Amino acid sequence: MAKRIDVSDLDIYYGNFKAVEGVNISIEPRSITALIGPSGCGKSTFLRSLNRMHEVVPGARIEGKVVIDGQDLYGSDVDPVDVRRQIGMVFQRPNPFPTMSIYDNVVAGVRLNSTKLKRAALDELVERSLRAANLWTEVKDRLDRPGAGLSGGQQQRLCIARAIAVEPEVLLMDEPCSALDPISTLAIEDLMTQLKERFTIVIVTHNMQQAARVSEFTGFFNLAGVGQPGRLVEFNPTEKIFSNPDQKSTEDYISGRFG
Amino acid sequence: MTTTSAPPPQPEPKRRVGDRVFAGSAKGAGILILVVLAGVAVFLVTEAWPAFTASPADLAGGEGVLSYVAPLVFGTLLAAVIALLIATPLAVAIALFITYYVPRRLAAGLGYVVDLLAAIPSIVYGFWGIAALAPALVPFYGWAERNLGFIPFFAGPASATGRTMLTAGLVLAVMILPIISAISREVFSQAPLLHREAALALGATRWEMITMAVLPYGKSGIIGGAMLGLGRALGETLAIALVLSISGGISFNLISNTNPGTIAANIALQFPESTGLDVNTLIASGLVLFVITLAVNMLARWVVNRRADFSGAN
Ligand SMILES: Nc1ncnc2c1ncn2[C@@H]1O[C@H](COP(=O)(O)OP(=O)(O)OP(=O)(O)O)[C@@H](O)[C@H]1O
Ligand SMILES: [Mg+2]
């Protein structure tokens, strides 16, 4: 199930503005890859180019190659809708569908994939996904209530449940824990560690300890200067990044001597 | 650390002039609306009262005010419902097309053209209905009578002039289309990006994204727009008076020359020649129209509020 992602010479644009430049990276299957870097350096932009969500923004485009298990993600015969069904995403801000109940939120993706499941199978899937997202005990008595009635952290876990309910091959997470308390954060991290047995996970985080705790590989993005595109400065095993990075700027950023 | 037991005087909360002016004018406008509404209601009731108390034989039709008004109510509702059934899906489709399918530069122009439909005076719609739409529909009515005659709506005999209930409903549909589509467009374009992206990231096609994140969010807007359109359709006078061939009675037949009138068109047609009790009868029918419109609006409110906590407006 898990897939390998190879990115070569990727430039990402918003209209004429080049947001990210020259990314080369190989993301290993069945592992967690963390992306760190200062605000505005293009981490979210890069992440969104991996499931073709980037092109949803009017005028946005990419140059370069993204290959998943040998298949060119941006090939002319590839439907972005299919790409997104295989590559799930959790956003920086929790975004459960406000018009749907908690239950319907969890199964929203499954219903799209047009696999007709029996009610019992759906019930089972909802429980499994919510348990995996560490939310089940809090919501099991109000599955028919609107998802927007949950707290911010609960909403984010609901979004994670929704993303993993469809069993994606790759899971992209953009600062999934920025709205969570430490206990929920740890639960999500445990969850990621379990999920990486089956999925490839890429996570953007501002939390160094989190990157150090959960990831096998870490990529450091940085801006060369104001108005310049972001670049992938260093990509190495997490242990190496946090003990003996190749680049001076990586070390500065990690040790808080940034800027 | 004061020795006195009296609490220090609280500083008066400072109220700015702008706040006071705004609060005052908002309150004034609200009260004014209520006063106008009450005034209209009082006028209608007092002027209509003689028609309710007079002996039935003295009234037009000779069978009392209720049996006079009943076919008119029926005709009003029938024409408005036809218009609504045709216009709402079309307006929603137009609004979706303009907001989510057309390139942005084209969208503004297209929206403007649809809005222009609202600027056409209803007398012009009436002429268009009589002169262009009605004759054009005559062959269709003949076909419908022959092939769909088993459905009561198309029982016939088909009108040779085309001035049927269906033609009137179509004219009304075109008239209310811009209201419904303008309001739908407004709410559709406000559907939060966050939720549209959530749908797309799950692998929704554009249409699935619309059904998951746009239509549910815009539902109350669609209902609101439809109700505004219904309000206009119920009260539309000139276009109906021109287009519809009226003979009275109650009939579901949509393609014939014998149609019930509508309240507003009937008032417009009868009022110039009416005196005395006939005027009171017409005003009584106006009162009924007032009540219907009020009921429609309250129903709409209720529908919109019923699932407010799922509306996504928070
Ligand atoms: N929709 C957009 N349209 C135009 N420019 C954008 C858009 N989104 C992001 N950008 C620009 O692209 C650059 C990278 O933004 P991005 O959101 O990827 O940063 P980030 O690394 O995720 O930052 P953060 O850590 O604050 O989330 C920024 O200069 C930003 O202003
Ligand atoms: Mg970001």
Side-chain angles (χ1 to χ4, degrees), chain B residues 17-39:
Chain B
V17 180
D19 281 349
R20 277 212 302 274
V21 170
F22 178 74
S25 53
K27 204 187 285 174
I31 291 172
L32 186 69
I33 291 173
L34 287 180
V35 168
V36 170
L37 204 63

Side-chain angles (χ1 to χ4, degrees), chain A residues 14 17 19 37-46 57 92 174-175 206:
Chain A
Y14 289 102
F17 172 62
S39 186
C41 64
K43 305 177 297 292
S44 300
T45 303
F46 171 71
V57 179
Q92 200 162 344
D174 193 347
E175 295 181 48
H206 279 295

Side-chain angles (χ1 to χ4, degrees), chain A residues 94-105 135 139 142-152 154-156 158, chain B residues 309-310 314:
Chain A
N95 56 359
F97 297 113
T99 52
M100 290 186 195
S101 66
I102 293 171
Y103 187 101
D104 289 334
N105 260 290
L135 187 61
V139 301
R142 44 171 171 160
L143 292 174
D144 56 343
R145 296 299 302 152
L150 299 174
S151 78
Q154 290 172 328
Q155 288 187 24
Q156 189 64 306
L158 178 58
Chain B
D309 52 351
F310 276 89
N314 38 21

Side-chain angles (χ1 to χ4, degrees), chain A residues 3 26 63 68-69 83 106 131 134 140 147 152 224 235 239 255:
Chain A
K3 300 227 165 165
S26 255
E63 281 168 16
I68 292 201
D69 263 13
V83 170
V106 177
R131 276 191 196 284
N134 194 31
K140 64 174 191 285
F235 180 63
E239 260 169 54
S255 57

